[in-house]
Amino acid sequence: MERYFNTEGLCVPEEHYMVRLDDRLSRIKQLFVDRGKYFVINRGRQYGKTTTLRALAKYLKDDYLVISMDFQMLSTASFENEEIFSDAFAETVIEVLEHMEEENKQELIEILVRFGREEYRSLRSLFVCLSRLNEEAGKPVVMMIDEVDSASNNQVFLDFLALLRGYYLERKNKSTFQSVILAGVYDIKNLKLKIRPEGEHKYNSPWNIAARFNLDMSFSTDQIARMLWEYEEDNKTGMDIHAIAKCVYEYTSGYPYLVSAICKLLDEEISESNDFKDMASVWTEEGIAEAVKILLKENTPLFDSMVKQLNIYKDLRNMIEEVLYQGKEVFYSPDVESINMGMMFGLLKEKNNHVVISNRIFEMRLLNMFIAEEAVKSEAYRYGQRDKNQFIRDSRLNMDLVLEKFVEYFTELYGENDERFVEAYGRKFFLLYLKPIINSVGNYYMEAQTRDAKRTDVIVDYLGEQFVIELKIWRGNEYNERGEEQLIGYLDYFHQKKGYMLSFNFNKRKEVGVKVMEVRDKVIVEAVV
């Protein structure tokens, strides 16, 4: 069967183009399983947790008896009480054992069958049964449970965790699992937060025995390149593998689903477009930009989950808006609930002791969402809609004129507002103004490396042409000159000869308007409001 890029569920090497996991599996075995650790793989939605677990089960089977189950296969009724849960759990283990090739599997199954015949069945008696199974297995037993979130609102599951913990602590005296691996979005320590929101119970987790699982599950540029090399071997597109891998990584930061989604769009959809003459032209930065544009318009489970979490956790949403619009620098602390939730859901990551959005695509999607919500009531958006037709000539965007008209609009409506107002809303108004002008044709994103409270670089992609715009708060001539140098460096990075500066200036003697400067070999268009 011809391999393809997969974004729906489990990935397998024989069927799909995927990043090879051998190094990751070896590290998990060496650092966790062989050492008898109990741990949790909690990552955001569609981060490759299930694929990793399935591959790990196969990787471990020569040395361990691996019982791998998915709590999504249990119904809500299975968690009604401990007797029902114990029966459902035992039946699931029997089903797993029936598909194994172990010589003694019938003896192990019989242990569980006898448990099912007992008159009184409880979690306690289930664990006595599981202990006996571990004694008779013939080799150490590893238990994996995927989608533990499915059970996280149930007290019976917390009691199950408590017994796992108890047997772990008594492992010198009682036979129990060599290693237990749980996987889901929610960190186990947050389960009581979901069940009992009152403060005194918030972090009283029965799973304080868990080892810290700190392996990076994102894909590196080199890993993406190796996946693309396999694709290139089969399809002979002529792509520059390293350049394409680097570009995909810059958009995704290696988020597994996003990497596969972009590649899938290039292979299956962009390749059918009349805008690209052959596969060599598809697998380019222009092709990736087109794939990103399509992806940002799709309703996917990942994006739906992101919106859902922001609607639930209002403090998280407010913090993300401040980071995106105002360049607010948020110091990283895992003890702040909004930060902890954002990290857990995969929306945020820690970088240089500060909180940043996980990847460029999330930033773009979030900006699009915030702007769409603001557009209904925004004067800036309405002015952009009103003016948009004058900025496009021969399918090219006149960014000089965009800045000129924005200066006129902003001065007219907000010229008398104080510094605090402009610092909070100035960049938001420009992005709202720009959005309807490039909508459906172009995209923009804010470069994370340059974002702070004083300056932000916005990169606009419009039909293959890039515009680098520095948005900054005026801090005097010396700071302005440093900004010019920073912009020149960034223009070199993007191989551009022309750049733009939009300065929000609070000097009463400022000259409002647009001027063109030549700085070394660059042309800089500066707009001052």
Side-chain angles (χ1 to χ4, degrees):
M1 185 179 75
E2 192 174 289
R3 287 195 293 169
Y4 60 94
F5 294 102
N6 180 44
T7 57
E8 302 89 31
L10 182 69
C11 291
V12 293
E14 296 78 20
E15 298 178 19
H16 307 124
Y17 294 110
M18 58 179 288
V19 166
R20 298 295 173 169
L21 302 177
D22 302 64
D23 291 343
R24 181 186 303 173
L25 302 179
S26 175
R27 294 283 287 169
I28 294 174
K29 181 178 183 296
Q30 177 186 0
L31 296 179
F32 297 95
V33 178
D34 290 345
R35 295 178 179 180
K37 302 295 184 181
Y38 287 24
F39 62 100
V40 182
I41 302 176
N42 68 278
R43 295 291 187 275
R45 295 287 178 205
Q46 296 183 283
Y47 216 100
K49 299 183 294 295
T50 299
T51 296
T52 297
L53 285 185
R54 295 293 179 87
L56 182 61
K58 187 176 181 179
Y59 187 81
L60 295 174
K61 70 177 185 178
D62 290 341
D63 298 320
Y64 298 97
L65 178 71
V66 181
I67 298 173
S68 180
M69 63 178 69
D70 184 338
F71 267 3
Q72 281 191 334
M73 301 303 290
L74 302 183
S75 67
T76 303
S78 299
F79 297 91
E80 185 175 336
N81 59 52
E82 61 179 86
E83 180 178 358
I84 294 174
F85 173 80
S86 298
D87 285 344
F89 192 91
E91 288 169 4
T92 303
V93 176
I94 289 173
E95 186 177 352
V96 172
L97 291 170
E98 285 174 340
H99 289 86
M100 287 185 178
E101 299 176 356
E102 303 292 328
E103 292 182 2
N104 62 339
K105 71 176 183 180
Q106 290 303 325
E107 289 86 345
L108 301 179
I109 289 171
E110 183 58 31
I111 293 172
L112 293 156
V113 170
R114 288 199 300 270
F115 165 76
R117 298 193 190 114
E118 293 178 6
E119 184 175 357
Y120 298 105
R121 296 176 304 285
S122 64
L123 281 174
R124 184 80 178 171
S125 57
L126 172 66
F127 270 80
V128 171
C129 168
L130 294 175
S131 182
R132 190 172 300 123
L133 183 145
N134 275 274
E135 284 180 0
E136 301 298 328
K139 54 185 175 181
V141 182
V142 174
M143 184 172 71
M144 301 178 182
I145 305 177
D146 198 6
E147 300 291 349
V148 292
D149 305 81
S150 303
S152 59
N153 282 321
N154 297 277
Q155 184 61 44
V156 68
F157 179 60
L158 293 181
D159 295 338
F160 173 78
L161 289 181
L163 277 165
L164 272 177
R165 175 182 180 274
Y167 269 75
Y168 173 86
L169 296 176
E170 292 292 324
R171 64 199 311 181
K172 296 290 186 184
N173 304 315
K174 297 180 180 179
S175 294
T176 190
F177 300 104
Q178 163 78 10
S179 180
V180 174
I181 307 167
L182 308 180
V185 172
Y186 277 89
D187 191 344
I188 296 299
K189 74 178 182 181
N190 290 296
L191 294 183
K192 284 210 170 184
L193 180 148
K194 298 178 73 179
I195 297 173
R196 301 174 182 156
E198 60 270 22
E200 64 269 22
H201 295 295
K202 185 174 289 188
Y203 297 113
N204 183 22
S205 170
W207 199 241
N208 56 13
I209 57 170
R212 177 172 173 259
F213 182 79
N214 58 350
L215 293 188
D216 187 0
M217 291 180 63
S218 62
F219 298 155
S220 68
T221 302
D222 287 342
Q223 288 175 317
I224 297 170
R226 286 196 290 272
M227 176 182 68
L228 292 178
W229 180 84
E230 292 184 15
Y231 175 84
E232 184 65 14
E233 283 285 292
D234 293 340
N235 294 276
K236 306 292 188 297
T237 69
M239 76 168 87
D240 183 333
I241 291 175
H242 181 74
I244 296 305
K246 182 172 180 289
C247 187
V248 170
Y249 182 83
E250 286 175 347
Y251 274 107
T252 65
S253 295
Y255 198 109
Y257 168 81
L258 298 176
V259 171
S260 295
I262 288 176
C263 293
K264 184 179 180 69
L265 284 167
L266 289 168
D267 180 52
E268 298 179 9
E269 191 163 333
I270 308 298
S271 61
E272 300 295 322
S273 170
N274 294 329
D275 296 330
F276 296 87
K277 61 179 191 242
D278 53 30
M279 291 298 285
S281 63
V282 167
W283 288 89
T284 58
E285 292 187 12
E286 292 74 24
I288 293 171
E290 185 64 24
V292 169
K293 189 163 66 176
I294 294 171
L295 181 59
L296 289 172
K297 294 178 182 177
E298 291 186 340
N299 290 322
T300 69
L302 176 60
F303 293 146
D304 290 345
S305 175
M306 179 170 67
V307 173
K308 174 186 173 183
Q309 304 307 340
L310 293 182
N311 288 335
I312 294 172
Y313 299 98
K314 300 297 184 183
D315 288 346
L316 173 61
R317 178 193 173 99
N318 293 337
M319 180 179 65
I320 287 176
E321 283 199 73
E322 290 177 340
V323 168
L324 287 176
Y325 281 137
Q326 299 174 31
K328 183 175 180 179
E329 294 181 286
V330 178
F331 183 76
Y332 171 72
S333 170
D335 300 318
V336 176
E337 185 177 334
S338 57
I339 294 175
N340 191 25
M341 291 294 145
M343 300 281 286
M344 190 171 65
F345 298 136
L347 301 178
L348 304 176
K349 63 183 178 182
E350 182 268 332
K351 184 176 181 180
N352 299 326
N353 291 322
H354 287 82
V355 173
V356 297
I357 312 301
S358 286
N359 56 72
R360 187 185 295 173
I361 289 180
F362 279 5
E363 287 193 354
M364 296 166 81
R365 181 76 178 209
L366 288 165
L367 273 174
N368 286 347
M369 181 182 76
F370 293 150
I371 284 174
E373 293 172 349
E374 293 266 1
V376 177
K377 57 185 178 182
S378 170
E379 285 286 342
Y381 191 89
R382 283 198 290 274
Y383 270 69
Q385 275 189 315
R386 182 198 66 184
D387 297 343
K388 63 182 180 181
N389 292 332
Q390 62 186 296
F391 299 124
I392 311 299
R393 292 288 181 271
D394 300 324
S395 298
R396 297 192 65 187
L397 175 63
N398 186 341
M399 186 58 73
D400 298 50
L401 186 58
V402 171
L403 290 183
E404 183 181 322
K405 290 296 182 182
F406 177 76
V407 169
E408 292 178 9
Y409 140 74
F410 191 88
T411 303
E412 176 187 340
L413 291 183
Y414 305 110
E416 299 304 317
N417 283 280
D418 62 18
E419 181 172 346
R420 183 178 298 178
F421 174 87
V422 175
E423 283 199 23
Y425 300 108
R427 284 177 274 204
K428 178 192 286 190
F429 290 154
F430 177 70
L431 294 172
L432 280 163
Y433 181 77
L434 183 60
K435 185 61 179 177
I437 296 169
I438 65 171
N439 200 27
S440 300
V441 178
N443 274 311
Y444 58 60
Y445 62 90
M446 290 192 282
E447 178 49 55
Q449 296 180 45
T450 64
R451 185 191 302 118
D452 59 33
K454 298 175 182 177
R455 66 185 287 260
T456 296
D457 285 331
V458 175
I459 315 300
V460 179
D461 289 316
Y462 192 89
L463 294 179
E465 190 172 8
Q466 283 188 320
F467 304 88
V468 181
I469 311 165
E470 181 181 291
L471 312 181
K472 64 186 182 65
I473 306 297
W474 180 272
R475 301 296 185 198
N477 287 328
E478 181 180 350
Y479 177 78
N480 193 55
E481 290 172 3
R482 288 203 306 271
E484 291 171 3
E485 290 299 319
Q486 289 170 325
L487 178 57
I488 288 170
Y490 218 57
L491 291 173
D492 285 336
Y493 177 81
F494 278 98
H495 310 293
Q496 300 290 322
K497 291 292 186 180
K498 186 176 186 179
Y500 300 84
M501 297 176 69
L502 175 56
S503 301
F504 296 96
N505 191 328
F506 308 107
N507 190 323
K508 293 183 179 179
R509 292 177 293 177
K510 66 187 176 186
E511 293 183 18
V512 174
V514 179
K515 63 180 180 180
V516 180
M517 305 173 290
E518 290 190 13
V519 182
R520 296 205 293 276
D521 63 336
K522 309 295 185 187
V523 175
I524 296 178
V525 178
E526 181 176 22
V528 178
V529 295

